[in-house]
Amino acid sequence: MLEPIYYNIGRSCKETYFKKDYDNKNINITPKLIDDNIIKNIKRPLLKIPFDAPEKVANYIFEQNKDKIKGTIKLSDNDNDNNDNNDNNDSDKDNNSINYYILNLGKYIEKINELTEELKNTDLIIIADGRRLINRKELLLISELRNIISPNTAIYFPTALPNEIPLLTYMGVDYFDNSSASYYASKGYKFTKNRIMETTIQFNELVEHNKSIIRELLEETKYCIKEGSLRNLVEETSISNPYLRGNYKRFNPDVRNIPLSSGKKIIVSIDETTIPEVKKYTERLGNYEAFTNIVVLLPCSSKKPYSFSKSHQYFVNAIRSSNTVVEEVVLTSPYGVVPRALEGIVNYDIPVVGSWSSEEIEFINRHLKTYLDNTDNKFGTISVIAHLPKHYYEILDKNLIEKYDIISTVEDDRPTTNNSLATLKDTLKEISADKYGIDNNKENNKNERDNKDNNAPVKANRPSIRKQVMHNYQQLAKFQFGSNFIPDDTVIKGRHKKFFAKINNKLTQICSLNYENGLFVLTYEGGKLLGKNKWVEVNFKAKKGSLFAPGFKDCDENISVGDEIVIIYEGEVIGVGRASMSGAEMKKAKNGALLNIRHCKK
């Protein structure tokens, strides 16, 4: 019935069922109003389960309704033969009928687990008792339902109010109707984007006004899905309703339904540390490995990536002039801790008010502690410098400051002054000399070598800046794919960073860096190096272009929408591409495009 085209936790889909008013497949895009010819053909059961009915009563009514809560709607007697001529497309799909199921469970939503197989084969699921569900925790039925059913199955939520549409879409609903517009007009209420208000407007005019507000919310919801800002619209429309807000907070979205990095700036205004984008980032941050045991903590900047800002250019220049290789780590809300190697994938705006919330302080310190502990465990000892203004330094956990003897290098609460930058530079020189026996004065180094005590303890080898650059890219690959595929001797060429590895004694491009989202784009040879990681297995020797559901065999469930993926056929890597949906959705899909194949084996 539907084919997803955009995901942003919620999704937009194109309709694929036959309509006699169209010569080709219908191209209407959800979320939208359900067609009248579908509504009029849905047969209501004789009995409805009251929401708060005792469980025995609910079970009895459910059994009586078993054969009356489902049916088939025949849309047309004409054949719909407009299918793509492709080996793996959906050419045998009958789009002239819709199987529907009216889901009426009262408050006993756990019963959905008994209906899994039946719901998997349904085209349209209608949520009964929506007005009772919307204000209760049982609304999570929708997200549970979406986890079970195919991405091609539609969910219809009757009687929704305008401000409920974004949250319901976010949770997985595709279709709505105008029934609330007429009902509330009959009571003398008009709709606005966020509420309903009493009015003296005449009924007919009021109905049309209310319908127009519903249409506006549907259009804005579609726009926000495409732009990657649906969460912001949900926050905006739910914040003034405690019941909607409660269900938004309860909802635990599947972060595989957002890309790791989209290249578009995310807006963070509330719930800074709990939004899906941050959750997805922090789940992977724990695997990051530092290159050196000298860590410099830095404040964030409004410009992203941070290193493009004037303040960070000052910091970088001071660090480089010290001739010391360090781990640069940015402290920020909402991401907590951002190593320099990962700065290209965080792009956000957040209100700056000059103070931190308790949640932000706890979040930053928790992830900073994990980062410092992991680095300390790797090297046995670490040196930590806090080149931070006072309002940053003051939020650091005192136990962390004491444990790692964190040194502050900021003078007069201004990190970018000459005095502060000079202090940072001198402190790094002292630490470097202590760790590696290096004095930045060449004559002193020569005299020290001439007078070297052969029995003195050997200083550690000084890290190489070139090796750190490669290490950072390898950590980015590990962050993106779960494992590194970039060899140590990889050659990086060009302004746009193309990566070449020696394969069969020949330099061959394995990937490039997409500056828009800060992630790697694979070539076929890069896919071979990566191997069975972020993989999709196909049942035929696929070529460039879209892969449809019939050509799919299996995949890695951890694939997210937008991920770079490796295509496998008969145990061999035959190509690379990009996922149009998550791996979990691919496994349930019955038709439609699952991914786009970009490079294939020649």
Side-chain angles (χ1 to χ4, degrees):
M1 182 168 183
L2 298 178
E3 290 181 5
I5 51 176
Y6 298 112
Y7 278 90
N8 185 219
I9 301 298
R11 81 263 183 82
S12 278
C13 305
K14 65 178 180 180
E15 296 176 319
T16 58
Y17 63 88
F18 181 79
K19 291 187 178 183
K20 62 183 178 180
D21 298 331
Y22 291 83
D23 292 331
N24 296 321
K25 284 184 180 180
N26 174 36
I27 56 171
N28 280 353
I29 305 299
T30 66
K32 67 182 287 288
L33 297 174
I34 196 165
D35 290 339
D36 289 338
N37 66 331
I38 293 179
I39 294 177
K40 70 184 181 183
N41 284 295
I42 296 172
K43 297 176 182 177
R44 274 70 173 175
L46 293 175
L47 298 172
K48 177 176 177 293
I49 299 175
F51 191 82
D52 291 315
E55 189 170 6
K56 284 185 178 180
V57 174
N59 288 338
Y60 174 79
I61 296 175
F62 183 81
E63 289 300 319
Q64 297 304 308
N65 281 342
K66 250 185 177 180
D67 297 326
K68 301 178 181 67
I69 55 178
K70 55 189 175 183
T72 301
I73 301 170
K74 192 71 173 175
L75 297 175
S76 172
D77 293 329
N78 297 323
D79 292 328
N80 181 23
D81 296 324
N82 184 47
N83 294 293
D84 298 325
N85 295 319
N86 191 304
D87 290 344
N88 69 99
N89 68 16
D90 309 324
S91 58
D92 58 351
K93 170 76 175 158
D94 177 13
N95 294 320
N96 296 344
S97 63
I98 293 174
N99 297 321
Y100 69 84
Y101 191 103
I102 301 173
L103 196 62
N104 178 212
L105 304 176
K107 63 182 179 182
Y108 306 103
I109 64 172
E110 65 278 359
K111 195 173 179 65
I112 193 175
N113 297 318
E114 301 173 20
L115 305 172
T116 299
E117 291 306 315
E118 190 160 16
L119 295 175
K120 281 181 179 178
N121 298 314
T122 302
D123 298 313
L124 175 66
I125 297 173
I126 302 144
I127 304 296
D129 221 2
R131 296 317 312 152
R132 296 296 299 274
L133 285 171
I134 197 72
N135 292 335
R136 291 172 168 266
K137 66 181 184 297
E138 285 82 7
L139 187 66
L140 296 181
L141 165 74
I142 293 170
S143 58
E144 293 298 320
L145 187 58
R146 186 48 74 192
N147 289 337
I148 292 171
I149 60 179
S150 163
N152 308 116
T153 299
I155 299 177
Y156 164 36
F157 192 100
T159 72
L161 297 175
N163 66 328
E164 297 165 353
I165 289 172
L167 175 61
L168 290 169
T169 303
Y170 195 63
M171 296 177 79
V173 174
D174 304 289
Y175 284 115
F176 302 90
D177 61 29
N178 275 323
S179 57
S180 63
S182 301
Y183 174 78
Y184 282 94
S186 72
K187 298 283 187 178
Y189 288 97
K190 79 170 185 176
F191 290 164
T192 69
K193 181 176 180 178
N194 289 315
R195 53 188 51 85
I196 57 175
M197 299 165 28
E198 285 191 87
T199 183
T200 57
I201 300 173
Q202 293 299 308
F203 174 75
N204 290 338
E205 182 182 349
L206 189 52
V207 170
E208 292 307 312
H209 166 83
N210 287 352
K211 287 181 178 179
S212 71
I213 299 299
I214 290 174
R215 287 195 300 270
E216 286 178 12
L217 259 295
L218 287 168
E219 287 304 310
E220 188 170 1
T221 301
K222 273 186 277 199
Y223 172 82
C224 288
I225 292 171
K226 188 176 181 180
E227 292 299 307
S229 58
L230 179 58
R231 173 182 51 79
N232 297 115
L233 181 61
V234 175
E235 291 169 346
E236 179 186 337
T237 52
S238 66
I239 191 69
S240 58
N241 183 314
Y243 301 108
L244 290 181
R245 176 71 177 155
N247 274 320
Y248 170 65
K249 296 284 281 184
R250 290 186 190 104
F251 176 47
N252 184 26
D254 187 343
V255 296
R256 292 172 296 185
N257 288 332
I258 52 171
L260 181 59
S261 174
S262 68
K264 294 180 179 179
K265 185 172 288 188
I266 68 167
I267 307 300
V268 186
S269 53
I270 58 176
D271 306 316
E272 294 90 348
T273 61
T274 60
I275 61 174
E277 294 88 345
V278 171
K279 180 181 177 184
K280 195 176 184 79
Y281 171 85
T282 54
E283 282 176 351
R284 303 180 185 217
L285 179 64
N287 294 324
Y288 181 86
E289 290 186 35
F291 178 71
T292 177
N293 61 350
I294 303 176
V295 179
V296 178
L297 306 179
L298 299 169
C300 69
S301 64
S302 58
K303 193 166 189 175
K304 315 293 184 306
Y306 308 117
S307 56
F308 286 16
S309 68
K310 284 187 177 180
S311 60
H312 276 254
Q313 287 173 10
Y314 290 140
F315 303 152
V316 170
N317 288 338
I319 291 167
R320 286 179 178 171
S321 65
S322 73
N323 212 19
T324 306
V325 178
V326 308
E327 277 288 321
E328 299 171 47
V329 178
V330 179
L331 303 186
T332 181
S333 180
Y335 287 93
V337 171
V338 181
R340 184 69 78 191
L342 304 180
E343 68 169 352
I345 63 174
V346 296
N347 188 10
Y348 60 95
D349 261 346
I350 187 169
V352 178
V353 296
S355 62
W356 305 87
S357 70
S358 58
E359 290 82 6
E360 288 175 309
I361 294 171
E362 187 278 331
F363 184 83
I364 289 173
N365 278 293
R366 173 157 42 95
H367 288 285
L368 178 60
K369 180 180 185 303
T370 299
Y371 176 86
L372 294 178
D373 287 350
N374 287 347
T375 305
D376 188 40
N377 290 338
K378 178 179 178 179
F379 293 100
T381 180
I382 57 173
S383 299
V384 185
I385 293 172
H387 195 69
L388 301 169
K390 185 178 179 182
H391 71 281
Y392 270 84
Y393 190 81
E394 286 180 342
I395 71 166
L396 295 182
D397 188 329
K398 289 182 173 55
N399 292 326
L400 275 182
I401 294 175
E402 292 175 6
K403 179 178 180 179
Y404 292 112
D405 194 21
I406 297 176
I407 304 166
S408 177
T409 54
V410 171
E411 307 284 345
D412 301 322
D413 197 28
R414 297 172 64 190
T416 57
T417 63
N418 289 336
N419 285 343
S420 292
L421 295 171
T423 302
L424 172 62
K425 176 181 175 180
D426 293 343
T427 303
L428 287 174
K429 284 181 177 180
E430 290 174 14
I431 292 173
S432 182
D434 180 58
K435 284 183 181 290
Y436 309 118
I438 296 168
D439 189 320
N440 283 281
N441 184 305
K442 291 183 179 180
E443 187 61 34
N444 289 346
N445 275 334
K446 182 179 183 301
N447 293 336
E448 187 174 323
R449 286 194 299 270
D450 292 342
N451 300 319
K452 185 176 179 181
D453 180 359
N454 291 330
N455 295 319
V458 178
K459 297 284 187 177
N461 290 328
R462 181 180 181 182
S464 156
I465 292 177
R466 182 192 173 282
K467 286 183 178 179
Q468 184 186 36
V469 169
M470 190 56 63
H471 170 88
N472 285 355
Y473 284 125
Q474 290 170 335
Q475 289 302 305
L476 176 59
K478 186 177 169 185
F479 187 87
Q480 180 177 348
F481 297 103
S483 64
N484 172 49
F485 69 100
I486 300 176
D488 291 339
D489 60 354
T490 296
V491 176
I492 305 170
K493 294 184 179 182
R495 181 166 164 255
H496 295 291
K497 298 290 185 294
K498 295 180 179 180
F499 293 73
F500 294 81
K502 188 169 284 189
I503 299 173
N504 297 327
N505 293 320
K506 180 181 177 183
L507 276 181
T508 304
Q509 186 178 350
I510 58 172
C511 63
S512 60
L513 192 63
N514 181 346
Y515 272 94
E516 197 169 297
N517 62 17
L519 298 173
F520 290 112
V521 179
L522 294 171
T523 65
Y524 167 67
E525 293 295 341
K528 285 178 66 178
L529 287 175
L530 185 60
K532 198 170 183 179
N533 194 314
K534 300 289 183 183
W535 55 274
V536 173
E537 188 174 3
V538 297
N539 56 25
F540 72 110
K541 195 168 184 179
K543 299 179 181 178
K544 285 185 183 180
S546 295
L547 177 79
F548 292 87
F552 171 86
K553 186 174 181 182
D554 197 7
C555 74
D556 176 358
E557 279 198 357
N558 292 319
I559 290 171
S560 295
V561 59
D563 272 357
E564 288 287 301
I565 51 176
V566 174
I567 314 299
I568 292 176
Y569 174 60
E570 294 184 344
E572 181 186 2
V573 174
I574 63 165
V576 294
R578 182 165 295 174
S580 301
M581 59 178 65
S582 72
E585 292 281 81
M586 288 183 196
K587 288 193 168 191
K588 298 181 293 182
K590 299 174 184 177
N591 52 71
L594 311 184
L595 56 95
N596 184 265
I597 302 173
R598 184 176 57 253
H599 295 298
C600 288
K601 180 180 180 181
K602 294 180 181 178

